[in-house]
Amino acid sequence: MSTLGNSPLPITTSPTATATSATNRHRFSLSKWKGAKPIPLAISLAIGLLFRFTVPKPHQLSTIASQLLAIFLTTICGLILSPLPVGAWAFLSLTIAVITKTITFVATFAAFTNEVIWLIVVSFFSSRGFIKTGLGDRVALCFVSWLGKDTLGLSYGLALSEAAISSAIPSTTARAGGIFLPIIKSLAVSADSHPKDHSSRKLGAYLIQTQLQASNSSSALFLTAAANNLLCLKLAEGLGVKTSSKWLTWFKVSSIPAIISLLASPTILYKIFPPEMKNTPDAPLMARRKLEQMGPIKSDQWVMMIVMLVTVSLWISGEALGLASGITAMLGLSLLLAFGILTWDDCLSEKSAWDTLAWFGVLIGMATQLTTLGVVAWMSNVVANFLNSLSLHWFGAFCILLGTYYFIHDLFASQTAHVAALYPAFLGMCLASKIPNLLATLLLGYFSNLFGALTHYSSGQAAVYYGAGYVELRDVFKMGITIALINIAIWGLVGLAGGRFLAFTKTEISK
């Protein structure tokens, strides 16, 4: 009779079963973690905690101010190391600030009513209409058909067409991915120049590099050509620097250096990063064929063109009419919705706009509170006193601050994140060093565009163009630093002269 119930039978485990069990445990232990990246998370939190509990509190700052600075440092480290996507990390940092009672709930979300944030969001929607209707493609193809007989002319056609439409599309990334990269890829492939292949240098690599470098000057040309331009002037207002006739003032100083840089970049790259193909007789033919396929200008393109001309005109003259830039953008979007150029589903699907709303609001809110609590003024005075101890003229101090602000961007993967994190601090240092207000405000703003091509991760457009596979990484860094030095010289000297001229008029800025 069996004794199964009273005496356990010996259990035999086969080698195969043991191996299978070990493999399952191994798979479980190495299952992919879907949350925050552990090491970047630990480093980001550790930096904030170390500053809060080990660094002596400056006597000029309150405990709350010191605590907010610690949270802000954690936020910036997270933006650099990316333990979570930008929006998610900003929300986590915001939650920490509220839980620790560093910022009140009301103050936390007050920034989400900021006019500049909504101007940027609405502009994202409007730029989608430019791409959806094909108007952007039509403009670019027209320039290619006019100037594209040789490779150098082709690069100028693409660069100038982006400059022409940049004031109406405040996202360089949208212009790159939605309009110009598809055209460049089509031109390259038709010339038998393919990505990740020895033929990439035939045409594609050169066009990619020239368009990337020229796009930064296009973004700096108009106030509404990049979201971070609007953010710069808004952050400057928080420090007491108010610029009148914003759109025109920005353009007056930017126009000459931007045009010089736009005209110089393709030629310089043609010399130091030459394409193998010098003539492109098929490019204008291809452009004309595509224009013929598109047919005559359609009604929705006419509407898009008229609405954007009206919007840009009101941005230029809005201050004289008492019409804020944000309201003008709302009017333009409302017209596009009313005429059916955009649908509300188009707006809802614009993820980048809603993501920008979330993390812009957090960073602007923190930056505003840092200014209110005196943290920015304290940091600015510390650096200014150090520069003064070196007996530097304000021009020398400005060169040091501009250079540091420019090349520290190697730590950032977003231009707007860089602006939100560091623009107030560097502008405060400039003001404390007695650098003319208008000059510092504008040149820091222009430089916030120019460093977008420093590396392959410096900006959204840099990532888009590098992802096309035409340019090798070593060439990205080599061309990035070369054009960076050239742009610093052009914008530093010419922009400095223009900014000083406007500053001396004493009618463009008030403090």
Side-chain angles (χ1 to χ4, degrees):
M1 190 171 182
S2 175
T3 57
L4 182 61
N6 299 319
S7 176
L9 294 174
I11 300 175
T12 302
T13 305
S14 68
T16 303
T18 303
T20 302
S21 177
T23 301
N24 288 337
R25 288 196 302 271
H26 182 68
R27 285 177 179 172
F28 177 78
S29 63
L30 295 179
S31 60
K32 188 175 181 181
W33 170 248
K34 297 180 181 179
K37 299 174 186 175
I39 295 178
L41 175 66
I43 294 174
S44 300
L45 293 175
I47 288 176
L49 291 171
L50 286 172
F51 180 86
R52 177 66 182 87
F53 295 106
T54 63
V55 177
K57 182 181 74 65
H59 68 274
Q60 297 96 330
L61 300 181
S62 65
T63 301
I64 291 295
S66 179
Q67 192 163 291
L68 179 59
L69 180 56
I71 295 172
F72 189 69
L73 289 175
T74 291
T75 305
I76 299 309
C77 289
L79 293 178
I80 296 171
L81 301 177
S82 300
L84 286 170
V86 173
W89 182 251
F91 189 80
L92 186 148
S93 301
L94 182 66
T95 302
I96 293 174
V98 174
I99 289 176
T100 57
K101 298 183 178 180
T102 306
I103 305 178
T104 65
F105 189 87
V106 173
T108 296
F109 287 94
F112 286 88
T113 62
N114 190 298
E115 177 192 337
V116 170
I117 295 178
W118 283 100
L119 170 59
I120 293 168
V121 171
V122 171
S123 296
F124 269 109
F125 299 152
S126 299
S127 63
R128 186 182 182 91
F130 226 95
I131 297 170
K132 181 181 176 181
T133 60
L135 183 58
D137 289 335
R138 185 179 289 276
V139 172
L141 290 170
C142 285
F143 274 91
V144 170
S145 67
W146 296 334
L147 301 173
K149 292 181 180 179
D150 55 52
T151 305
L152 185 59
L154 182 58
S155 66
Y156 274 113
L158 291 167
L160 293 174
S161 61
E162 178 163 9
I165 65 175
S166 61
S167 65
I169 305 180
S171 169
T172 319
T173 307
R175 298 196 298 266
I179 298 174
F180 291 97
L181 181 59
I183 293 176
I184 290 173
K185 289 173 71 174
S186 179
L187 290 167
V189 170
S190 67
D192 201 25
S193 177
H194 303 282
K196 299 180 181 179
D197 184 74
H198 68 277
S199 65
S200 63
R201 287 296 300 270
K202 189 175 182 181
L203 181 64
Y206 170 73
L207 292 181
I208 288 286
Q209 271 293 349
T210 53
Q211 195 65 23
L212 171 60
Q213 297 296 342
S215 68
N216 299 304
S217 294
S218 297
S219 297
L221 179 58
F222 301 108
L223 177 62
T224 50
N228 43 275
N229 298 343
L230 300 158
L231 180 60
C232 286
L233 294 192
K234 184 63 179 180
L235 292 172
E237 288 181 4
L239 294 175
V241 181
K242 296 181 180 179
T243 308
S244 61
S245 303
K246 296 181 179 65
W247 203 97
L248 285 175
T249 300
W250 182 281
F251 180 72
K252 285 178 183 177
V253 180
S254 70
S255 55
I256 296 178
I259 292 171
I260 293 173
S261 182
L262 274 170
L263 296 178
S265 295
T267 299
I268 292 171
L269 285 166
Y270 194 79
K271 298 294 184 182
I272 65 176
F273 191 65
E276 295 174 2
M277 176 181 283
K278 307 299 182 182
N279 296 308
T280 55
D282 293 335
L285 296 176
M286 188 204 74
R288 293 189 189 103
R289 281 199 303 269
K290 289 193 172 184
L291 286 170
E292 289 174 1
Q293 292 172 4
M294 295 174 72
I297 299 179
K298 299 178 178 62
S299 59
D300 58 350
Q301 293 178 341
W302 278 115
V303 173
M304 186 72 209
M305 192 186 308
I306 293 170
V307 169
M308 295 316 300
L309 286 174
V310 170
T311 302
V312 172
S313 299
L314 289 177
W315 273 332
I316 296 172
S317 59
E319 190 164 325
L321 300 174
L323 199 61
S325 298
I327 297 175
T328 297
M330 291 172 61
L331 173 62
L333 177 59
S334 297
L335 291 173
L336 293 178
L337 290 170
F339 282 100
I341 306 302
L342 290 175
T343 66
W344 189 240
D345 284 340
D346 291 329
C347 297
L348 293 176
S349 63
E350 191 67 33
K351 294 181 180 179
S352 57
W354 299 114
D355 184 51
T356 300
L357 172 65
W359 66 272
F360 254 42
V362 173
L363 290 176
I364 289 181
M366 283 191 179
T368 301
Q369 288 300 309
L370 286 170
T371 302
T372 301
L373 294 173
V375 176
V376 173
W378 168 71
M379 292 175 62
S380 304
N381 288 328
V382 168
V383 175
N385 290 335
F386 170 73
L387 293 175
N388 289 334
S389 70
L390 301 177
S391 300
L392 291 174
H393 185 265
W394 69 261
F395 180 76
F398 194 30
C399 290
I400 292 174
L401 291 172
L402 273 177
T404 303
Y405 181 77
Y406 193 107
F407 288 106
I408 204 174
H409 188 65
D410 278 334
L411 301 176
F412 286 86
S414 166
Q415 292 167 284
T416 44
H418 184 152
V419 169
L422 298 182
Y423 182 89
F426 273 83
L427 180 57
M429 295 175 203
C430 291
L431 300 182
S433 300
K434 309 302 181 184
I435 297 167
N437 298 352
L438 177 64
L439 188 65
T441 299
L442 294 180
L443 280 185
L444 284 173
Y446 299 142
F447 275 39
S448 298
N449 293 286
L450 300 179
F451 53 46
L454 200 53
T455 67
H456 61 299
Y457 59 84
S458 292
S459 60
Q461 66 270 19
V464 167
Y465 285 126
Y466 176 71
Y470 278 95
V471 185
E472 295 184 14
L473 191 58
R474 66 174 182 271
D475 291 323
V476 172
F477 283 100
K478 189 189 303 182
M479 297 304 106
I481 189 66
T482 301
I483 301 300
L485 295 174
I486 293 170
N487 276 332
I488 287 174
I490 293 173
W491 285 84
L493 295 176
V494 182
L496 177 67
R500 287 291 286 165
F501 174 77
L502 286 182
F504 280 128
T505 65
K506 298 182 181 181
T507 61
E508 303 293 339
I509 195 167
S510 61
K511 183 177 179 182

